[in-house]
Amino acid sequence: DIVMTQSPDSLAVSLGGRATINCKSSRSVLFSSKDYLAWYQQKAGQPPKLLISWASTRESGVPDRFSGSGSGTDFTLTISDLQAEDVAVYYCHQYYSTPLNTFGQGTKLEIK
Amino acid sequence: EVQLVESGGDLVQPGRSLRLSCTASGFIFDDFAMHWVRQAPGKGLEWVSGITWNGATVGYADSVKGRFTISRDNARNSLYLQMNSLRDEDTALYYCAKAWSGSATPFDTWGQGTLVTVSS
């Protein structure tokens, strides 16, 4: 099974600052020039929301402050110009080995 | 509007069974793979099981393999999770999630979840 490991487990960033969340997979999730990696945002009391698919493609309606990068086994979610509404837990997700999927353990983002 | 509504969660004793349902609306159900994802209280997301659009291929997390069975009824726009031999560690909010397409894609729509509590 592919294991997804996020770092850090939590971080606090000032309003207007930049948050960087890392995700490492135990095996490459790259196939046919596409990385099978997504990022989700989960706010308190809500289901997760898909932010980014294929490692770097923002979903419709997601602010361009959110960006994804990386390939193969190492990925990054960057949130620029942090807003109060960005407080949430963020998860990476590999769907390369579908129907077997795995999530990272989550990264809790707070305001400093 | 694309919508997923889970039901069937309950308080059950260890060793008992429970069947969860997810009713879909607002999209062509049999075009998409579907999944169950759970979240234990205060913990992260754990993928539980998935099924392709036609039910031909299914998968399970090691933690539930041999105890849980996923199925779907495309005529009823419904997804199911039969949970047997329940354990304390199965206590969680169970989400139904729709894949972006019929196969290896992210989950673009989630329900609000149904709570399963396993306790004596």
Short mmCIF file of all heavy atoms in Angstrom, two decimals, chain B residues 50-80:
data_model
loop_
_atom_site.label_atom_id
_atom_site.label_comp_id
_atom_site.label_asym_id
_atom_site.label_seq_id
_atom_site.Cartn_x
_atom_site.Cartn_y
_atom_site.Cartn_z
N GLY B 50 -13.84 1.42 -1.87
CA GLY B 50 -14.26 2.06 -3.10
C GLY B 50 -14.79 1.05 -4.09
O GLY B 50 -14.48 -0.15 -4.00
N ILE B 51 -15.59 1.53 -5.03
CA ILE B 51 -16.22 0.66 -6.02
C ILE B 51 -16.29 1.40 -7.34
O ILE B 51 -16.62 2.59 -7.38
CB ILE B 51 -17.61 0.20 -5.54
CG1 ILE B 51 -18.24 -0.82 -6.47
CG2 ILE B 51 -18.54 1.39 -5.33
CD1 ILE B 51 -19.49 -1.49 -5.90
N THR B 52 -15.97 0.71 -8.44
CA THR B 52 -16.04 1.33 -9.75
C THR B 52 -17.48 1.54 -10.17
O THR B 52 -18.42 1.04 -9.55
CB THR B 52 -15.29 0.50 -10.79
OG1 THR B 52 -15.74 -0.86 -10.70
CG2 THR B 52 -13.79 0.56 -10.54
N TRP B 53 -17.67 2.23 -11.28
CA TRP B 53 -19.01 2.65 -11.70
C TRP B 53 -19.96 1.48 -11.88
O TRP B 53 -21.16 1.58 -11.60
CB TRP B 53 -18.92 3.44 -13.00
CG TRP B 53 -18.42 2.63 -14.17
CD1 TRP B 53 -17.13 2.38 -14.52
CD2 TRP B 53 -19.23 1.93 -15.12
NE1 TRP B 53 -17.08 1.57 -15.62
CE2 TRP B 53 -18.34 1.28 -16.03
CE3 TRP B 53 -20.60 1.79 -15.30
CZ2 TRP B 53 -18.81 0.51 -17.09
CZ3 TRP B 53 -21.06 1.01 -16.37
CH2 TRP B 53 -20.17 0.39 -17.25
N ASN B 54 -19.42 0.36 -12.33
CA ASN B 54 -20.29 -0.80 -12.61
C ASN B 54 -20.20 -1.87 -11.52
O ASN B 54 -20.79 -2.95 -11.67
CB ASN B 54 -19.91 -1.41 -13.96
CG ASN B 54 -18.48 -1.89 -14.00
OD1 ASN B 54 -17.73 -1.72 -13.05
ND2 ASN B 54 -18.08 -2.47 -15.13
N GLY B 55 -19.46 -1.60 -10.46
CA GLY B 55 -19.34 -2.57 -9.38
C GLY B 55 -18.38 -3.70 -9.65
O GLY B 55 -18.24 -4.61 -8.83
N ALA B 56 -17.69 -3.65 -10.80
CA ALA B 56 -16.83 -4.77 -11.19
C ALA B 56 -15.58 -4.87 -10.33
O ALA B 56 -15.02 -5.95 -10.14
CB ALA B 56 -16.45 -4.65 -12.66
N THR B 57 -15.12 -3.73 -9.86
CA THR B 57 -13.89 -3.70 -9.06
C THR B 57 -14.15 -2.99 -7.74
O THR B 57 -14.71 -1.89 -7.73
CB THR B 57 -12.75 -3.00 -9.81
OG1 THR B 57 -12.54 -3.65 -11.06
CG2 THR B 57 -11.47 -3.02 -8.99
N VAL B 58 -13.74 -3.62 -6.67
CA VAL B 58 -13.88 -3.02 -5.34
C VAL B 58 -12.54 -3.10 -4.63
O VAL B 58 -11.67 -3.91 -4.98
CB VAL B 58 -14.97 -3.72 -4.50
CG1 VAL B 58 -16.33 -3.61 -5.18
CG2 VAL B 58 -14.61 -5.18 -4.25
N GLY B 59 -12.38 -2.25 -3.63
CA GLY B 59 -11.17 -2.27 -2.82
C GLY B 59 -11.49 -1.92 -1.39
O GLY B 59 -12.48 -1.24 -1.11
N TYR B 60 -10.63 -2.39 -0.47
CA TYR B 60 -10.84 -2.17 0.94
C TYR B 60 -9.53 -1.83 1.63
O TYR B 60 -8.46 -2.34 1.26
CB TYR B 60 -11.42 -3.44 1.61
CG TYR B 60 -12.73 -3.88 1.04
CD1 TYR B 60 -12.79 -4.84 0.04
CD2 TYR B 60 -13.92 -3.32 1.49
CE1 TYR B 60 -14.00 -5.23 -0.51
CE2 TYR B 60 -15.14 -3.72 0.95
CZ TYR B 60 -15.16 -4.67 -0.05
OH TYR B 60 -16.37 -5.05 -0.59
N ALA B 61 -9.63 -1.00 2.65
CA ALA B 61 -8.48 -0.77 3.52
C ALA B 61 -8.20 -2.06 4.29
O ALA B 61 -9.13 -2.83 4.59
CB ALA B 61 -8.78 0.38 4.47
N ASP B 62 -6.96 -2.28 4.63
CA ASP B 62 -6.59 -3.49 5.38
C ASP B 62 -7.37 -3.59 6.69
O ASP B 62 -7.69 -4.69 7.15
CB ASP B 62 -5.09 -3.50 5.66
CG ASP B 62 -4.26 -3.79 4.42
OD1 ASP B 62 -4.84 -4.26 3.42
OD2 ASP B 62 -3.05 -3.52 4.46
N SER B 63 -7.68 -2.45 7.28
CA SER B 63 -8.35 -2.42 8.58
C SER B 63 -9.77 -2.97 8.55
O SER B 63 -10.34 -3.32 9.59
CB SER B 63 -8.36 -1.00 9.14
OG SER B 63 -9.01 -0.12 8.25
N VAL B 64 -10.37 -3.05 7.35
CA VAL B 64 -11.76 -3.51 7.26
C VAL B 64 -11.91 -4.71 6.34
O VAL B 64 -13.02 -5.28 6.23
CB VAL B 64 -12.71 -2.38 6.78
CG1 VAL B 64 -12.55 -1.14 7.67
CG2 VAL B 64 -12.47 -2.04 5.32
N LYS B 65 -10.84 -5.10 5.68
CA LYS B 65 -10.92 -6.20 4.72
C LYS B 65 -11.41 -7.48 5.40
O LYS B 65 -10.96 -7.83 6.49
CB LYS B 65 -9.54 -6.43 4.10
CG LYS B 65 -9.54 -7.21 2.81
CD LYS B 65 -8.13 -7.26 2.21
CE LYS B 65 -7.63 -5.90 1.85
NZ LYS B 65 -6.27 -5.95 1.24
N GLY B 66 -12.38 -8.13 4.76
CA GLY B 66 -12.94 -9.35 5.31
C GLY B 66 -14.11 -9.11 6.25
O GLY B 66 -14.82 -10.06 6.62
N ARG B 67 -14.32 -7.88 6.66
CA ARG B 67 -15.44 -7.55 7.56
C ARG B 67 -16.48 -6.65 6.89
O ARG B 67 -17.67 -6.74 7.18
CB ARG B 67 -14.92 -6.86 8.82
CG ARG B 67 -13.94 -7.68 9.62
CD ARG B 67 -13.61 -6.99 10.96
NE ARG B 67 -12.98 -5.69 10.78
CZ ARG B 67 -13.46 -4.54 11.27
NH1 ARG B 67 -14.59 -4.54 11.96
NH2 ARG B 67 -12.81 -3.41 11.07
N PHE B 68 -16.02 -5.75 6.01
CA PHE B 68 -16.92 -4.79 5.36
C PHE B 68 -17.09 -5.19 3.88
O PHE B 68 -16.16 -5.71 3.26
CB PHE B 68 -16.33 -3.38 5.41
CG PHE B 68 -16.33 -2.74 6.77
CD1 PHE B 68 -16.60 -3.45 7.93
CD2 PHE B 68 -16.05 -1.38 6.89
CE1 PHE B 68 -16.60 -2.85 9.18
CE2 PHE B 68 -16.04 -0.75 8.13
CZ PHE B 68 -16.30 -1.50 9.27
N THR B 69 -18.28 -4.89 3.35
CA THR B 69 -18.56 -5.15 1.94
C THR B 69 -19.23 -3.92 1.34
O THR B 69 -20.27 -3.47 1.84
CB THR B 69 -19.48 -6.36 1.76
OG1 THR B 69 -18.88 -7.52 2.36
CG2 THR B 69 -19.72 -6.63 0.28
N ILE B 70 -18.65 -3.42 0.27
CA ILE B 70 -19.23 -2.28 -0.45
C ILE B 70 -20.05 -2.80 -1.63
O ILE B 70 -19.69 -3.81 -2.25
CB ILE B 70 -18.13 -1.30 -0.93
CG1 ILE B 70 -18.73 0.00 -1.43
CG2 ILE B 70 -17.24 -1.96 -1.98
CD1 ILE B 70 -17.69 1.09 -1.73
N SER B 71 -21.14 -2.11 -1.92
CA SER B 71 -21.96 -2.48 -3.08
C SER B 71 -22.71 -1.24 -3.55
O SER B 71 -22.72 -0.22 -2.85
CB SER B 71 -22.93 -3.60 -2.72
OG SER B 71 -23.83 -3.18 -1.71
N ARG B 72 -23.30 -1.35 -4.70
CA ARG B 72 -24.08 -0.24 -5.24
C ARG B 72 -25.26 -0.78 -6.02
O ARG B 72 -25.21 -1.87 -6.58
CB ARG B 72 -23.21 0.68 -6.10
CG ARG B 72 -22.64 0.05 -7.34
CD ARG B 72 -21.61 0.98 -8.00
NE ARG B 72 -22.20 2.22 -8.47
CZ ARG B 72 -21.48 3.31 -8.75
NH1 ARG B 72 -20.17 3.32 -8.58
NH2 ARG B 72 -22.08 4.41 -9.18
N ASP B 73 -26.31 0.04 -6.07
CA ASP B 73 -27.49 -0.26 -6.87
C ASP B 73 -27.71 0.95 -7.77
O ASP B 73 -28.26 1.97 -7.32
CB ASP B 73 -28.69 -0.52 -5.97
CG ASP B 73 -29.93 -0.92 -6.75
OD1 ASP B 73 -30.01 -0.65 -7.97
OD2 ASP B 73 -30.85 -1.49 -6.13
N ASN B 74 -27.25 0.87 -8.99
CA ASN B 74 -27.33 2.02 -9.89
C ASN B 74 -28.78 2.39 -10.23
O ASN B 74 -29.07 3.56 -10.50
CB ASN B 74 -26.52 1.76 -11.16
CG ASN B 74 -25.02 1.80 -10.90
OD1 ASN B 74 -24.57 2.31 -9.87
ND2 ASN B 74 -24.24 1.26 -11.82
N ALA B 75 -29.65 1.43 -10.20
CA ALA B 75 -31.07 1.73 -10.48
C ALA B 75 -31.68 2.58 -9.37
O ALA B 75 -32.64 3.33 -9.59
CB ALA B 75 -31.85 0.43 -10.64
N ARG B 76 -31.13 2.45 -8.17
CA ARG B 76 -31.63 3.21 -7.02
C ARG B 76 -30.74 4.39 -6.64
O ARG B 76 -30.98 5.04 -5.63
CB ARG B 76 -31.78 2.29 -5.81
CG ARG B 76 -32.79 1.17 -5.99
CD ARG B 76 -32.85 0.29 -4.75
NE ARG B 76 -33.78 -0.81 -4.90
CZ ARG B 76 -35.08 -0.74 -4.62
NH1 ARG B 76 -35.59 0.38 -4.14
NH2 ARG B 76 -35.86 -1.79 -4.80
N ASN B 77 -29.70 4.64 -7.46
CA ASN B 77 -28.75 5.72 -7.18
C ASN B 77 -28.21 5.62 -5.75
O ASN B 77 -28.11 6.62 -5.02
CB ASN B 77 -29.41 7.10 -7.35
CG ASN B 77 -29.66 7.44 -8.81
OD1 ASN B 77 -29.15 6.77 -9.72
ND2 ASN B 77 -30.45 8.46 -9.06
N SER B 78 -27.86 4.41 -5.36
CA SER B 78 -27.47 4.18 -3.97
C SER B 78 -26.18 3.39 -3.84
O SER B 78 -25.89 2.49 -4.62
CB SER B 78 -28.59 3.44 -3.23
OG SER B 78 -29.73 4.27 -3.09
N LEU B 79 -25.44 3.75 -2.81
CA LEU B 79 -24.20 3.08 -2.42
C LEU B 79 -24.41 2.52 -1.03
O LEU B 79 -25.09 3.14 -0.20
CB LEU B 79 -23.06 4.10 -2.41
CG LEU B 79 -21.69 3.63 -1.93
CD1 LEU B 79 -21.05 2.72 -2.99
CD2 LEU B 79 -20.80 4.84 -1.63
N TYR B 80 -23.80 1.37 -0.77
CA TYR B 80 -23.98 0.72 0.52
C TYR B 80 -22.64 0.29 1.11
O TYR B 80 -21.66 0.07 0.40
CB TYR B 80 -24.88 -0.52 0.38
CG TYR B 80 -26.20 -0.24 -0.27
CD1 TYR B 80 -26.42 -0.57 -1.61
CD2 TYR B 80 -27.24 0.37 0.43
CE1 TYR B 80 -27.64 -0.30 -2.23
CE2 TYR B 80 -28.45 0.64 -0.17
CZ TYR B 80 -28.64 0.31 -1.51
OH TYR B 80 -29.84 0.58 -2.12
#
